[in-house]
Amino acid sequence: MKFSYPIVNADIVAHRGASNVTPENTLASVRKTAEMGAKWIETDVRLTADLKLVMIHDETLDRTTNSSGTVLSKTLGEIQALDAGSWFHQDFAGEIAPDLEEYLDCVIECGLNLQLEVKEVPGLERELVERVAVVLREKWPTGKRPIYLSGFSERCLRYAAEIIPDIPRCIALVAAPQYPAALVKEIGCQMIHIQDIPYNTPARFGLLKSSGVEFAVATVDDPKRARELLDMGAQSILSDNPALL
Ligand code: G3P
Ligand code: CA
């Protein structure tokens, strides 16, 4: 499959939406991202007990809802009955964790491009990618509006390459790899994400840049640092602040 590069044609990807001013991964965070002028939004999708897809970053409900326990232990209906806004601020009381369909509708309505991160439960990688693929086929105007799939799970990315080969893929890493081009070839993906940690020195960024592999850095909320990273060859920056630059 031939993709056109860069896959991300903007400096900023809004990490979990406008998560600096709204509860992450909610529809409020999508709308705010568009209002703040970003072109790209990032979000996290995971499976529920009834194998539906819900937009929640953590494995558990504890941090971002008024309940507790794992997402995988509750049905989508049970999760959507929870408050996913009050933990952030009372102004967002009643905000719910959207399912993938309603999230995509909102992203499209807001005119945003999407980084969809698959949050796997080990053992359910295929179920996750298959279900995501069905919804993307139904909802996303692939080829007309930019999108890419990302994840820390190589297994998920391999399944995605098989099931939805027309959607580009990004491996999320922590450290900048020694051989970026070999790594993306091995996994069958087109992009690398790394984190902004001291291990990733300018020399490591040099290796990434000279490999020619598109890469981005997560998660950066300091505009000066974001500029430095872009100057070192990052194609884009994931930030909680959609208006960082
Ligand atoms: O692709 C990397 C980025 O999505 C990381 O996000 O917050 O899920 O680790 P996070
Ligand atoms: Ca993420």
Side-chain angles (χ1 to χ4, degrees), residues 6-34:
I7 287 163
V8 177
N9 53 355
D11 290 344
I12 295 294
V13 177
H15 179 241
R16 309 183 201 167
S19 52
N20 59 340
V21 288
T22 54
E24 64 185 51
N25 290 334
T26 60
L27 299 187
S29 79
V30 178
R31 295 189 188 105
K32 196 66 185 176
T33 297

Side-chain angles (χ1 to χ4, degrees), residues 69-226:
T70 62
V71 174
L72 193 63
S73 69
K74 293 208 169 20
T75 63
L76 179 65
E78 286 167 340
I79 292 170
Q80 292 204 306
L82 304 175
D83 183 335
S86 296
W87 69 275
F88 187 81
H89 192 279
Q90 264 317 109
D91 288 356
F92 297 99
E95 199 70 37
I96 64 161
D99 66 22
L100 182 59
E101 282 93 338
E102 54 206 10
Y103 189 90
L104 294 182
D105 281 342
C106 187
V107 168
I108 292 166
E109 205 179 286
C110 289
L112 294 167
N113 305 328
L114 182 63
Q115 175 193 335
L116 181 60
E117 179 175 355
V118 285
K119 290 290 192 197
E120 79 286 358
V121 170
L124 292 177
E125 292 92 345
R126 180 122 200 150
E127 285 79 355
L128 173 60
V129 174
E130 279 177 355
R131 281 161 178 79
V132 165
V134 167
V135 179
L136 288 178
R137 288 264 168 270
E138 186 198 324
K139 291 275 177 192
W140 192 264
T142 303
K144 297 199 181 90
R145 176 165 290 285
I147 185 170
Y148 66 98
L149 201 87
S150 71
F152 286 88
S153 160
E154 290 182 23
R155 192 175 289 174
C156 281
L157 294 176
R158 290 203 173 92
Y159 287 140
E162 178 196 328
I163 300 168
I164 32 174
D166 50 338
I167 293 180
R169 298 162 299 279
C170 169
I171 181 75
L173 304 170
V174 173
Q178 182 81 15
Y179 303 106
L183 187 138
V184 294
K185 190 167 173 217
E186 179 198 327
I187 301 169
C189 63
Q190 289 70 41
M191 207 191 310
I192 290 177
H193 279 184
I194 57 168
Q195 292 183 8
D196 192 23
I197 55 168
Y199 177 85
N200 293 328
T201 56
R204 290 261 147 196
F205 279 102
L207 282 178
L208 262 173
K209 188 179 177 183
S210 61
S211 75
V213 176
E214 182 171 342
F215 71 99
V217 186
T219 305
V220 181
D221 291 330
D222 172 11
K224 186 165 161 279
R225 180 62 180 156

